[in-house]
Amino acid sequence: MYFYTPLKLKTKSFSKFLIMSEVLRSAFAHQKRPLLSYGIQFPAAAARHVADTFDASRVYILCSGSLARNTDALDRLIAALGPEKVAGKRIGMKPHTLWSEVLEIVADARKVQADLILTLGAGTLTDAAKIIALALANEVKTYKELERISEGPNRLLNIGGSTIPIISVPTSLSAGEYTDWAGGTEDHSHRKYMFGPPLLGPELVILDPELAEATPDCIWLSTGMRSVDHIVEMLCATVPKTPESEKLAQDALLGLVSGLLRCKKNRADREAHLQCQLGSVDAIAACMSISLALGASHGIGHQLGPLGVGHGETSCILLPAVCKFNALHSANRETQARVCEVLTKDPIISQVLCERSVDAASADLGDILDAIIRELGMPRTLADVHVGRDKLDILAVNALQDLMCQSNPVPLTQKEQVLQILEMVVV
């Protein structure tokens, strides 16, 4: 862990100097990148690293539309960087990273000769930046060329690696900033494609709990459950885990769930927000510490998203049902029981279970997760997100093509298996 010397900041609202210290460290113990920065406000951290770490002078900014409309975050960022360093910007993208928008930004970034991409917002922008960097490295201009650099049977054998660096300032907890994978949705089929190495994720992630307070509950809490989904599917996987990876995952799980419940009660609790942010980092670290693909909650969720459902909401709807499905087929009952034991020892979680009349001694993991998600006020059924029975068939067909459905503790190889899970959550 590294600590920068105190930074003197002059802000728009205060004439006095504020003294704060930045924490700069690797996100993961055994990797140099991505770097993780927190402790100072995001504009100062971004300006420092654009200049000192990356020596960039033509920054392309992808900014959340809601942040640009409802806060001064983008203005503060541009002022800190210096307007002369901002070569281009895109304000707002539709959810699930549409290929049409990705290609528009690729063309614009190429035109202005961007030498760094900076995202200010949630997971759609992060995925977009990763795909854009890969597309720029491979001179991609069309849908067909974009498909050729995605995972699948039409993938090119030789794909050039991403070269343009990415800085992410996340305002959600889905934790895509820490992976070398991204999802993008083909507009016409509504199918989500995965893009992997030689794609590279952000080299620097800047955490700012004060900025995170502006994120609506529906996004902050649901994407927090997305990170919980990472951990639960990792802990419940049937592959061997090291004691270190299991301990890291259990600690991250408790930190995330208790932090989310605290945030639900008080969105001004910055300590709880930072606890959630750091918990999402540890969730990914635990998953990356072993060779593991996640399970059906992620796999089906990848295809549910393009039907108009948020990244985190897919986990809120599917994770308890997938746990019940796997237990029903006796795939991982023992591992699920260990996760139950971890969760029910926490006093904040135990209180929620008690208030919701859930018997911690007899409840299964699906029941416990259901109570937590309901306490957070998140959707629990497809009906809650306006997805009807008419969508189940195509959803099941698309899900079977997702690698994470095949790596589920009960591998999903037949449409009927996916439909069995979906029937649990349709209404």
Side-chain angles (χ1 to χ4, degrees):
M1 183 180 296
Y2 307 97
F3 291 87
Y4 268 102
T5 53
L7 177 68
K8 293 185 177 180
L9 297 174
K10 205 168 192 177
T11 69
K12 287 178 69 177
S13 16
F14 298 95
S15 58
K16 65 183 180 179
F17 284 108
L18 303 175
I19 307 299
M20 295 178 283
S21 295
E22 179 189 25
V23 177
L24 183 69
R25 64 172 175 87
S26 298
F28 309 130
H30 304 296
Q31 291 182 203
K32 291 183 178 180
R33 298 289 172 94
L35 293 170
L36 193 64
S37 166
Y38 55 95
I40 61 175
Q41 294 181 330
F42 76 91
R48 165 177 273 171
H49 292 290
V50 163
D52 296 349
T53 304
F54 299 103
D55 191 26
S57 59
R58 302 193 61 78
V59 180
Y60 198 99
I61 298 174
L62 304 182
C63 180
S64 154
S66 60
L67 277 180
R69 289 190 301 271
N70 302 325
T71 76
D72 65 351
L74 179 58
D75 293 337
R76 291 166 57 207
L77 175 62
I78 293 174
L81 293 175
E84 73 282 355
K85 284 192 175 182
V86 179
K89 60 180 181 290
R90 170 72 176 233
I91 298 175
M93 291 185 71
K94 293 178 181 177
H96 301 291
T97 316
L98 300 182
W99 283 15
S100 57
E101 295 189 325
V102 166
L103 290 174
E104 289 171 3
I105 300 167
V106 167
D108 196 26
R110 183 183 292 120
K111 179 180 177 181
V112 301
Q113 299 181 320
D115 61 2
L116 184 143
I117 300 172
L118 195 158
T119 70
L120 181 61
T124 290
L125 302 181
T126 306
D127 275 358
K130 291 191 274 189
I131 299 171
I132 289 162
L134 186 65
L136 287 169
N138 289 276
E139 295 296 323
V140 167
K141 298 181 177 70
T142 67
Y143 275 55
K144 185 176 181 180
E145 290 171 342
L146 196 56
E147 183 182 0
R148 297 299 302 277
I149 63 169
S150 72
E151 299 295 307
N154 297 322
R155 190 175 191 265
L156 291 171
L157 292 178
N158 297 307
I159 299 175
S162 305
T163 57
I164 185 170
I166 301 168
I167 296 175
S168 279
V169 186
T171 57
S172 72
L173 293 165
S174 52
E177 298 79 23
Y178 307 101
T179 75
D180 293 335
W181 288 86
T185 302
E186 204 276 344
D187 300 54
H188 304 108
S189 67
H190 303 293
R191 177 184 163 191
K192 181 166 280 191
Y193 287 73
M194 298 306 293
F195 296 78
L199 173 148
L200 294 176
E203 294 194 43
L204 171 68
V205 182
I206 299 170
L207 304 180
D208 188 333
E210 181 181 359
L211 177 68
E213 291 175 21
T215 304
D217 277 11
C218 61
I219 296 175
W220 182 255
L221 300 176
S222 68
T223 57
M225 283 305 304
R226 184 67 166 178
S227 280
V228 169
D229 196 350
H230 298 334
I231 308 171
V232 170
E233 291 214 309
M234 175 264 188
L235 285 171
C236 293
T238 53
V239 301
K241 293 169 279 290
T242 66
E244 294 79 14
S245 66
E246 193 150 7
K247 177 66 163 58
L248 179 61
Q250 290 174 355
D251 290 346
L253 180 62
L254 284 179
L256 265 168
V257 175
S258 61
L260 289 170
L261 292 169
R262 287 173 59 190
C263 287
K264 174 65 176 176
K265 288 189 175 181
N266 180 11
R267 286 305 307 274
D269 186 343
R270 290 183 187 169
E271 180 183 298
H273 283 73
L274 184 59
Q275 177 179 320
C276 290
Q277 290 175 315
L278 295 176
S280 73
V281 179
D282 288 343
I284 292 293
C287 292
M288 292 178 64
S289 66
I290 58 176
S291 178
L292 170 70
L294 298 174
S297 179
H298 281 76
I300 301 172
H302 288 157
Q303 306 308 324
L304 177 58
L307 298 182
V309 185
H311 284 289
E313 291 177 331
T314 66
S315 292
C316 295
I317 294 165
L318 290 167
L319 181 59
V322 168
C323 289
K324 284 185 172 291
F325 174 85
N326 289 330
L328 180 66
H329 291 274
S330 302
N332 57 1
R333 286 182 179 173
E334 290 184 3
T335 55
Q336 287 198 34
R338 288 201 294 272
V339 177
C340 288
E341 186 178 354
V342 170
L343 288 170
T344 54
K345 284 182 177 179
D346 182 86
I348 296 176
I349 298 170
S350 294
Q351 182 179 353
V352 167
L353 297 179
C354 181
E355 291 173 352
R356 290 190 166 268
S357 301
V358 176
D359 182 1
S362 61
D364 63 23
L365 183 56
D367 294 330
I368 291 171
L369 291 169
D370 174 73
I372 291 167
I373 295 166
R374 291 183 186 279
E375 182 71 15
L376 295 174
M378 295 295 102
R380 283 293 298 115
T381 69
L382 294 176
D384 290 339
V385 293
H386 312 294
V387 174
R389 284 189 174 277
D390 60 313
K391 303 294 185 184
L392 298 192
D393 195 73
I394 186 62
L395 179 55
V397 169
N398 284 344
L400 288 178
Q401 301 177 59
D402 194 289
L403 293 175
M404 292 189 181
C405 284
Q406 298 166 29
S407 62
N408 191 58
V410 179
L412 302 185
T413 59
Q414 299 176 358
K415 184 171 73 173
E416 289 71 24
Q417 293 174 298
V418 183
L419 290 173
Q420 184 179 349
I421 294 169
L422 295 176
E423 282 292 338
M424 298 184 201
V425 296
V426 70
V427 291

